[in-house]
Amino acid sequence: MGTAYPSDRLPPYGDDRYGAPPDAGWYPPPPAEEQPRPQRRWRRGGRADGSPPPAPEPRPGRPWRGRRRGALRALGRLVAVVFVLQALVLVSLRWVDPPTTAFMAANPGGAVQQSVPVEHVSRNFLAAVIAHEDAQLPYRSGAFEWDGLMARAEAHLRGEDDPSGSTIPQQVAKNLFLNQELSAWRKAVEAGLAAELALIVDDRRMLELYVNHAQFGPTLYGVCAASWYYFDTPPDTLYPDQAVQLAGLLPSPGHVRRAPGGGLDFDVEDGLGWFSRSHVVNAQNRLPGHLDRLGFRPVEDVGITGLAADEPDSGDDCSQRPAAVAELIAAEGTA
């Protein structure tokens, strides 16, 4: 069967389909041979011959960046070390009595102090301390109530008097690690340390740390030294009136001395004895009724049961007058 051609493309030999072949010009032209694409020249920075641009020169270093990173790493390591050391110190306070405190170390006149287990301390004194310094210690979760802390902070910023005072955990943190500065920064650090301490140390141990390191005179710290210095008696035999007087000294212990033969004498050289005496008188007016009403229940609620007189003798019960206290009394001539 022949091939049908378009009418305008018939071969020049009529309809003789077996004649000479038609002119080849009518066939579609062969596809043009594909030419290779020219090599793309490099643009930015390239050479005319198409070779790649030269490697960029290294940028000058910035040594200050390296120094900054090094300083930040060093600071991070320092913060980590301080955090670990602080945690170790706080944990050790559950069992170890610190040999000194920040307050004691900063006292230019030195410090007389000896620790005693809290079980060997008169329940009269412990009850008076809780009532006078922190009545919510046995019943509060944590070092303080946030509402009370904010009220104290606002009063401080307004220049007003402290409406409530520090709790016992806050005072322990201050006595052990800080100073007497009244700045907002110091109070913030105190609150943070107290919160950490309250998570680690239970109420019984907190009270023990407090009564052993609180200040009771210009150079006198702890109930062991205070009971022997003022009343010639060990801390387990303090009577209610003696206990109330010692508790009254806690807000202002720096303007008092031993009276001749024993007792408290506010006639001191700096002329500020009236200030310490006012706190003692306030305690004498307020605490007896409180103690009569509650008895030793708050002491039992912090985990201290029984009476100090019932505790067996031990080598650290402060049943003998500390030598440093005897030397202080002799030096003052108030035996």
Side-chain angles (χ1 to χ4, degrees):
M1 186 170 179
T3 302
Y5 297 102
S7 59
D8 60 343
R9 303 289 288 179
L10 290 176
Y13 305 102
D15 58 358
D16 186 359
R17 303 179 183 222
Y18 300 100
D23 186 6
W26 66 270
Y27 285 110
E33 185 176 346
E34 186 172 343
Q35 299 295 326
R37 297 179 64 182
Q39 185 176 3
R40 185 175 182 180
R41 298 178 181 276
W42 291 91
R43 291 183 179 178
R44 301 175 66 178
R47 295 190 174 94
D49 59 359
S51 61
E57 296 183 4
R59 298 177 65 182
R62 298 186 179 181
W64 62 272
R65 286 189 175 179
R67 289 195 296 269
R68 184 175 66 177
R69 287 194 293 268
L72 290 176
R73 285 194 295 268
L75 179 60
R77 287 193 292 267
L78 177 61
V79 170
V81 169
V82 170
F83 178 80
V84 171
L85 290 177
Q86 174 190 313
L88 291 175
V89 170
L90 292 179
V91 170
S92 71
L93 291 175
R94 297 178 63 176
W95 308 281
V96 179
D97 291 322
T100 188
T101 67
F103 266 50
M104 292 164 61
N107 193 329
V112 177
Q113 187 269 345
Q114 180 175 312
S115 294
V116 57
V118 72
E119 285 78 16
H120 289 280
V121 178
S122 166
R123 304 304 185 258
N124 294 313
F125 176 72
L126 297 179
V129 167
I130 293 174
H132 194 262
E133 296 297 301
D134 189 0
Q136 293 303 309
L137 175 67
Y139 316 110
R140 181 183 58 244
S141 175
F144 45 77
E145 298 289 348
W146 281 104
D147 291 343
L149 183 67
M150 294 305 298
R152 294 182 65 206
E154 292 172 359
H156 177 75
L157 293 176
R158 292 193 298 265
E160 300 174 356
D161 292 336
D162 192 334
S164 59
S166 298
T167 64
I168 283 180
Q170 287 176 287
Q171 294 187 62
V172 170
K174 177 187 66 177
N175 292 342
L176 295 183
F177 304 112
L178 303 174
N179 54 39
Q180 296 182 353
E181 182 184 356
L182 297 179
S183 68
W185 167 251
R186 201 275 288 165
K187 289 181 178 293
V189 174
E190 173 191 296
L193 288 173
E196 292 182 72
L197 198 59
L199 291 175
I200 298 171
V201 176
D202 60 24
D203 292 340
R204 174 209 161 274
R205 177 60 174 163
M206 192 75 74
L207 183 60
E208 184 172 64
L209 288 169
Y210 182 63
V211 300
N212 275 313
H213 298 93
Q215 189 174 3
F216 290 91
T219 61
L220 212 63
Y221 296 84
V223 64
C224 173
S227 61
W228 278 110
Y229 175 76
Y230 291 112
F231 303 118
D232 300 314
T233 189
D236 63 351
T237 60
L238 287 169
Y239 293 114
D241 62 320
Q242 296 170 334
V244 167
Q245 291 181 72
L246 288 185
L249 283 178
L250 289 168
S252 178
H255 313 290
V256 62
R257 62 185 177 185
R258 173 186 164 97
L264 279 60
D265 181 7
F266 300 102
D267 186 13
V268 292
E269 294 180 359
D270 62 11
L272 296 176
W274 61 270
F275 188 55
S276 293
R277 184 179 182 277
S278 66
H279 287 286
V280 172
V281 170
N282 178 60
Q284 290 173 322
N285 291 335
R286 188 170 64 89
L287 291 184
H290 188 92
L291 299 180
D292 290 341
R293 184 172 66 257
L294 296 179
F296 298 153
R297 189 174 68 193
V299 180
E300 295 172 351
D301 289 340
V302 300
I304 304 169
T305 58
L307 299 176
D310 297 334
E311 292 293 322
D313 295 341
S314 64
D316 57 355
D317 58 10
C318 194
S319 58
Q320 301 294 322
R321 190 194 304 268
V325 174
E327 294 171 2
L328 180 59
I329 293 174
E332 294 175 344
T334 56

